[in-house]
Every structure is written in C-alpha cells, then in structure tokens.
C-alpha cells in the first residue's frame, strides 16, 4: 500500500497528506478523522518530513513497529532510488553545463519562489512574524560575510532567536490538549528522544573525521532542523555541500529534479550523498544510503518519541508561540535561499530569467504540477543548448 503511494504521490507534503487521508481514513478506515488530524498536528509541530512522519505513525498505529518500518520503506524507496541514480550520474559535476541540467535549475528557481509565496501566506500571520521572516532572511544573507565558518550553526542561531521572539511575542495561536492514543509508552518515547540527542552529539563529534561521518552529520543536522515543509531542507543542506563537495549547479539541479519525483522531497539527500560520494572517498551507493538514513532518522525518532507526550505538549501556549516564531524564521530562511544559491546559481541573463518567469506562470496561473514543469524545462533546455 505505501509502496503504491510512494510511486504515485506527487505534489509535495500537503498533497501527500491528502492522499493518506483518502486512503487510510476514507477508503480503509484504519483510523478516524480526529486521530488523523492529531497525527498531522504532531508532524507539523516537530521538525522533519511531515508526510513521511505521518505515514510512519499510520504504519505504527496499524501494525506496530514492523508496520512503521514497512510504511517508511514503501513510501520512501522509489524516490530515493531514482534520486540516487541521478546523483551518481552527475557525480563530480561533469554534466553541470548540460542544457537539460540548466533547464532543471531554472525550474528550481520557479519552484522555490512558489514555495516561498505559499509558506508566507500560511505561516507569516501578522506584522511580528513578517518582521521575523524578513529579518531572518537578511541575517542569513549577510552572515557568511560576517562569520564565514558559521555554516549550519548560523542557521540554528537565527531560528533559535526567532523561537525566543515568538515565545515572548505570542501570535495568539489556539492551543488545546490532544487526545491521541498511540501504542508507545512514555518510557520508550523518552528513550527514542534520548537516542536522537545521543546520535546528534556522536555524529557531530565524528564529523571531523570526514567521509561518511561528515555526510551523516550534514544530513542528520538538516533533518533535525527542518520546520515548515520539505523545501526548507534546501538552505539547510547547501552550506554543507557547496562549494566544498559539489558545484553549486549540481546542487541546484538535484533540488529541481527532486520536485519532479513522487514521494518525500527529503530524498534530495539521497541524490546529494551519491553525487558527493567521490569527494568523500565513498561509493555512490554508500553515499546515497548514508544521506537517506541521515536525513530521515531524526524526524522518525522525534515523531515516534514525541507521540506519547503529545497531549501535554500540545496544550502549552508557549510551545505553540515559539513554533510560530520558528515557522516565520524558516520562511525567511527559504527566502534567502531563493536568492543564493538558487537564483544566483541558475539565472545567467535575460533569457534565463524569462524561462523562470514562464515556469512560475505555469506553476501558479496555469496550475501545472511541478512533476510536469521540471521535465518540460529539462527537455526545453536540452533542445536549446
């Protein structure tokens, strides 16, 4: 069942959640609307890939730990394999100048612009959140000049400041205790949360050794910080891979391709692991495997660990206010990434900008899905090269 969804679920996490509801609430009646809504709420509250986290929880609800594992594999594997194959093809940056790659990069600009616009409308709810979003974007654009070695730590600091301001200046978001019941004890949940913290500390310490440890930490750190949707993984991963491990063009092209795939957008890390493998002294297959495990593991541990504590956590107004601040900050994070590396890595002149505008018009005014726009831009780029 989840394998079929992994092969056919295009459209991003919001669309995936719609597919899940139609299949598991309406068609199969594995859980009710109220239970499903609570699972979605938990996933949105936590960092990580929301649609994958909901699928994991549905599998757990239906068939225990085996069901959770089967749900994750079925939904993730098709996209991860396709992205790993593409990453292995582009390893080393040899195809960076190809016409089809340039077409995918221009499509990526339009896709990210659409994501920024949509997330702004959903998450920037008042003047305070607008200030946080714009301030975060400005800080992240100038931070590399002020602090060249900041990398992902600078991003973490900006998001932490947004959480603090959000907590001190509440948005008025509604709060209320949840009523979700899950087959996970608090002891097991606490163990999983502790394991996530231990793995983070371990990977951070071992990343200095380079190789697979560096890849694991880069992807694990990004997966542990992604609030606000899968698109936010782009700016979180970019400092770790560009320019040290990958050319900017290869990085942006992979992100564009990920938007044309079914299943979770987080399989972008499968592509990055395969593409960066030569620079890390790894085989493409091992790089893809480590990238995939690294990006998904923190979200899975946090989701499964937090489920038994959700009722108490969801009733805290301060937690929801801090999350509102973080969500505004991630909009700014994505806005900064729209300029660099996405726009600066793709648009070389007026003709490229015209292509971006046409792709954006197709996505928005034409309502053409990304999985159609991205291949069309790739084909057009190959023809015009």
């Amino acid at each position: 069942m989840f394998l079929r969804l992994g092969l056919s679920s295009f459209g991003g996490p919001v669309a995936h959640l719609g597919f899940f509801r139609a299949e598991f609430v309406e068609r199969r009646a594995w859980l009710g609307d109220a239970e499903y809504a609570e699972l979605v709420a938990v996933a949105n509250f936590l960092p990580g890939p929301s649609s994958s986290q909901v699928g994991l929880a549905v599998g757990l609800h239906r068939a225990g730990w085996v069901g959770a594992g089967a749900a994750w594999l079925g939904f993730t594997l098709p996209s991860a394999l396709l992205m790993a194959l593409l990453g292995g093809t582009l390893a080393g940056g040899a195809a960076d100048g190809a016409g089809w790659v340039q077409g995918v990069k221009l499509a990526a600009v339009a896709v990210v612009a659409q994501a920024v616009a949509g997330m702004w409308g959903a998450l920037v709810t008042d003047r305070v959140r607008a200030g946080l979003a714009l301030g975060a974007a400005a800080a992240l654009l100038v931070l590399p000049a002020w602090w060249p070695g900041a990398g992902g730590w600078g991003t973490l600091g900006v998001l932490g400041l947004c959480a603090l301001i959000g907590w001190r200046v509440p948005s008025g978001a509604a709060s209320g205790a949840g009523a979700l019941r899950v087959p996970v004890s608090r002891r097991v949940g606490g163990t999983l949360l502790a394991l996530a913290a231990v793995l983070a500390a371990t990977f951070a310490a071992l990343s200095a050794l380079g190789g697979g440890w560096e890849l694991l930490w880069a992807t694990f750190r990004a997966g542990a910080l992604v609030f606000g949707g899968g698109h936010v993984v782009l700016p979180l991963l970019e400092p770790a891979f560009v320019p040290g491990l990958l050319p900017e063009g290869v990085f942006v092209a992979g992100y564009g391709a990920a938007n044309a795939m079914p299943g979770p957008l987080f399989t972008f890390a499968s592509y990055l692991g395969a593409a960066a493998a030569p620079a890390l002294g790894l085989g493409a297959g091992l790089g893809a495997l480590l990238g995939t495990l690294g990006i998904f593991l923190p979200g899975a541990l946090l989701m499964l660990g937090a489920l038994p504590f959700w009722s108490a956590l969801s009733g805290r107004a301060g937690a929801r206010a801090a999350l509102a601040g973080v969500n505004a900050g991630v909009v700014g994070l994505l806005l900064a990434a729209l300029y660099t590396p996405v726009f600066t890595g793709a648009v070389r002149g007026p003709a490229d900008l015209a292509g971006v505008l046409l792709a954006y018009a197709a996505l928005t005014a034409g309502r053409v899905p990304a999985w159609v726009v991205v291949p069309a831009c790739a084909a057009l780029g190959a023809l015009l090269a």
Side-chain angles (χ1 to χ4, degrees):
M1 175 53 57
F2 275 96
L3 180 61
R4 179 173 64 79
L5 289 168
L7 289 166
S8 60
S9 296
F10 293 91
V14 175
H16 300 163
L17 294 176
F19 294 140
F20 286 176
R21 183 187 176 280
E23 184 66 38
F24 301 121
V25 177
E26 294 183 352
R27 182 167 179 264
R28 295 182 178 271
W30 284 2
L31 65 171
D33 259 320
E35 293 172 298
Y36 183 72
E38 283 288 292
L39 292 180
V40 173
V42 180
N44 285 327
F45 191 88
L46 296 170
S50 57
S51 57
S52 296
Q53 288 170 311
V54 170
L56 191 72
V58 171
L60 178 71
H61 181 274
R62 179 64 180 177
W65 295 103
V66 173
W72 182 83
L73 280 175
F75 187 60
T76 306
L77 196 58
S79 176
L81 289 175
L82 290 171
M83 290 299 293
L85 288 172
L86 180 61
T89 301
L90 297 182
D96 188 22
W100 71 270
V101 174
Q102 179 62 17
V104 172
K105 287 156 64 176
L106 296 179
V109 180
V111 169
V112 176
Q114 182 191 34
V116 170
M119 291 173 66
W120 186 282
L123 301 176
V124 181
T125 55
D126 53 35
R127 288 183 295 176
V128 173
R129 305 321 142 197
L132 285 175
L134 295 174
L140 291 164
L141 285 171
V142 301
L143 191 60
W146 293 347
W147 187 10
W153 295 109
T155 300
L156 179 60
V158 170
L159 293 180
L161 182 59
C162 288
L164 178 61
I165 295 173
W167 172 59
R168 297 301 298 170
V169 187
S171 64
S175 61
L180 184 65
R181 298 293 180 267
V182 293
V184 181
S185 68
R186 290 198 171 192
R187 174 178 293 182
V188 172
T191 300
L192 293 175
L193 294 177
L195 177 60
V198 169
L199 289 177
T202 302
F203 294 158
L206 294 176
S207 64
L209 300 176
W213 295 114
E214 181 181 354
L215 177 60
L216 269 174
W217 173 234
T219 52
F220 189 96
R221 180 179 61 194
L225 293 176
V226 175
F227 288 92
H231 292 285
V232 183
V233 79
L234 171 74
L236 291 175
L237 286 170
E238 188 264 343
F241 286 89
V242 179
L245 301 177
L246 288 175
E248 187 176 83
V250 172
F251 180 86
V252 175
Y255 176 77
N259 283 277
M261 298 292 174
L265 188 60
F266 270 44
T267 55
F268 179 37
S270 308
Y271 165 93
L272 292 177
L280 293 165
L282 305 172
L286 179 57
L289 177 62
L290 293 176
T292 305
L293 291 177
I295 199 75
F296 283 100
L297 188 56
L301 291 174
L302 292 174
M303 182 70 176
L304 296 174
L307 281 172
F309 303 100
W310 170 247
S311 294
L313 183 62
S314 64
R316 296 183 178 273
R320 290 187 177 272
L323 179 62
V326 171
N327 284 338
V330 300
V331 177
L333 180 65
L334 197 57
L335 180 59
L338 175 59
Y339 174 71
T340 179
V342 178
F343 187 90
T344 58
V347 178
R348 304 168 300 186
D352 285 344
L353 181 57
V356 170
L357 294 175
L358 290 174
Y360 186 78
L363 289 167
T364 54
R367 297 186 179 180
V368 181
W371 60 268
V372 174
V373 172
V374 174
C377 288
L380 187 59
L383 289 173
L384 297 177

